[in-house]
């Protein structure tokens, strides 16, 4: 767990563990490209050195080890950085193989879904001086959400809410800190991270309970089967419990 993933300053679209390339096979090496949006701490974010850090990068590093344990193929897992709402489009266009970026299930997303690897929920986060104390009081308020997220879907269920979609969670939180919105609807793990490190509060009652998954192109069951094998090993490992505790995220029960 000592390696980190570098972001090239010249081109922030491509990020990899061992270099940068599109999905391909060369000799006995198979490159699996993964779309990621590192603005979603503690799942994934950039540190001061431009490295991608968080639960998902740590998990992917373990997955690469699992895939290379007993295989004639050498697997290399590479990240490509992009906006969250572009990941599915890139998957459908065969530009990347997988999406790993805190994805929660939505039947309207035309992709293949892995087994779940984390529990999650969508919650309201507010400035520390907010007078809102319950989800009922979100009615008629201005709410910020990440475009294309299930937080957007949850916000649409709030009566008379004025909803604004922004591309990045960092933009959302900056706007919320400046009181441009009454609240933001984000993943509970993300909300806890901001509450612990900034001047925000969150409502404990979730607007939507969900789980996190890995996604692939519709019909690419081979890739999903490969990821499910890794998820099964991951959930049964000591590292899984350690990472959930480290990043304060909710584990799922391994069958």
């Amino acid at each position: 767990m000592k390696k980190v993933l570098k972001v090239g300053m010249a081109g922030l679209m491509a990020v990899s563990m061992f270099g940068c390339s599109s999905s391909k096979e060369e000799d006995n090496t198979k490159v699996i490209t993964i779309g990621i949006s590192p603005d979603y701490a503690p799942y994934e974010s950039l540190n001061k050195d431009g490295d991608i850090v968080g639960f998902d990068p740590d998990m992917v590093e373990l997955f690469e080890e699992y895939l290379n344990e007993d295989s004639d193929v050498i697997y290399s897992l590479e990240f490509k950085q992009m906006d969250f709402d572009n990941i599915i489009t890139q998957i459908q266009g065969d530009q990347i193989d997988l999406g790993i970026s805190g994805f929660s299930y939505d039947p309207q997303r035309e992709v293949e879904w892995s087994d779940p690897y984390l529990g999650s929920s969508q919650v309201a986060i507010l400035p520390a001086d907010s007078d809102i104390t319950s989800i009922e009081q979100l009615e008629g308020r201005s709410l910020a959400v990440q475009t294309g997220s299930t937080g957007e879907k949850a916000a649409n269920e709030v009566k008379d809410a004025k909803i604004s979609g922004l591309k990045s969670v960092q933009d959302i939180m900056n706007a919320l800190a400046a009181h441009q919105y009454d609240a933001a609807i984000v993943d509970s793990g993300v909300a806890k991270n901001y509450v612990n490190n900034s001047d925000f509060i969150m409502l404990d009652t979730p607007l939507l309970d969900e789980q996190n998954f890995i996604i692939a192109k519709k019909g690419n069951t081979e890739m999903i089967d490969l990821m499910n094998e890794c998820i099964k090993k991951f959930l049964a490992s000591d590292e899984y419990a350690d990472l959930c505790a480290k990043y304060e995220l909710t584990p799922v029960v391994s069958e």
Side-chain angles (χ1 to χ4, degrees):
M1 304 305 291
K2 294 180 180 178
K3 292 186 287 185
V4 291
L5 306 180
K6 275 286 187 181
V7 176
M9 297 302 292
L12 288 179
M13 282 297 293
V15 185
S16 72
M17 283 185 181
F18 304 113
C20 248
S21 72
S22 60
S23 180
K24 61 185 179 182
E25 284 193 54
E26 292 182 357
D27 299 324
N28 66 332
T29 299
K30 181 171 180 60
V31 177
I32 298 174
T33 52
I34 303 168
I36 193 168
S37 178
D39 62 346
Y40 212 57
Y43 293 96
E44 46 266 329
S45 60
L46 300 179
N47 66 15
K48 293 179 181 179
D49 296 324
D51 304 323
I52 296 184
V53 295
F55 183 95
D56 286 341
D58 287 352
M59 176 183 74
V60 167
E61 185 175 337
L62 287 169
F63 281 14
E64 189 171 69
E65 292 178 9
Y66 299 156
L67 291 172
N68 288 311
E69 281 175 354
D70 297 301
S71 175
D72 293 332
V73 178
I74 300 172
Y75 287 92
S76 177
L77 306 187
E78 300 183 352
F79 279 132
K80 286 190 174 182
Q81 182 184 337
M82 60 193 67
D83 290 334
F84 179 80
D85 59 349
N86 286 338
I87 295 176
I88 290 178
T89 301
Q90 293 285 303
I91 286 176
Q92 293 170 336
D94 293 319
Q95 300 303 304
I96 54 176
D97 298 305
L98 298 170
I100 301 180
S101 199
F103 277 97
S104 47
Y105 181 76
D106 185 338
Q108 294 182 344
R109 291 170 170 162
E110 292 293 323
V111 293
E112 295 290 342
W113 298 88
S114 73
D115 295 334
Y117 66 89
L118 279 174
S120 183
S121 62
Q122 293 295 317
V123 299
I125 185 169
L126 316 101
D129 59 357
S130 174
D131 62 351
I132 297 173
T133 59
S134 69
I135 57 174
E136 289 76 19
Q137 292 175 346
L138 295 175
E139 293 184 4
R141 303 285 190 138
S142 59
L143 306 178
V145 299
Q146 186 174 30
T147 304
S149 69
T150 50
E152 185 173 24
K153 178 180 179 181
N156 281 319
E157 298 298 319
V158 178
K159 184 179 179 181
D160 297 327
K162 305 172 185 68
I163 301 166
S164 297
L166 286 78
K167 281 190 173 294
S168 84
V169 172
Q170 187 60 59
D171 289 344
I172 290 171
M173 302 313 297
N174 289 341
L176 190 61
H179 292 83
Q180 295 177 19
Y181 303 99
D182 295 314
I185 310 302
V186 298
D187 182 278
S188 57
V190 174
K192 289 176 186 177
N193 182 71
Y194 278 96
V195 168
N196 290 341
N197 295 287
S198 304
D199 198 21
F200 296 103
I201 57 174
M202 62 175 276
L203 302 181
D204 292 332
T205 303
L207 283 79
L208 178 67
D209 288 315
E210 52 193 7
Q211 295 176 312
N212 293 126
F213 302 80
I214 298 169
I215 61 171
K217 185 176 181 178
K218 195 72 174 178
N220 193 356
T221 55
E222 180 181 355
M223 188 64 66
I224 289 298
D225 288 345
L226 202 63
M227 290 300 102
N228 282 341
E229 291 176 12
C230 292
I231 290 172
K232 184 177 181 179
K233 290 182 180 180
F234 183 46
L235 266 57
S237 71
D238 292 336
E239 287 88 350
Y240 179 65
D242 291 343
L243 289 176
C244 287
K246 176 181 177 180
Y247 293 109
E248 298 186 48
L249 294 173
T250 304
V252 295
V253 177
S254 179
E255 296 182 358

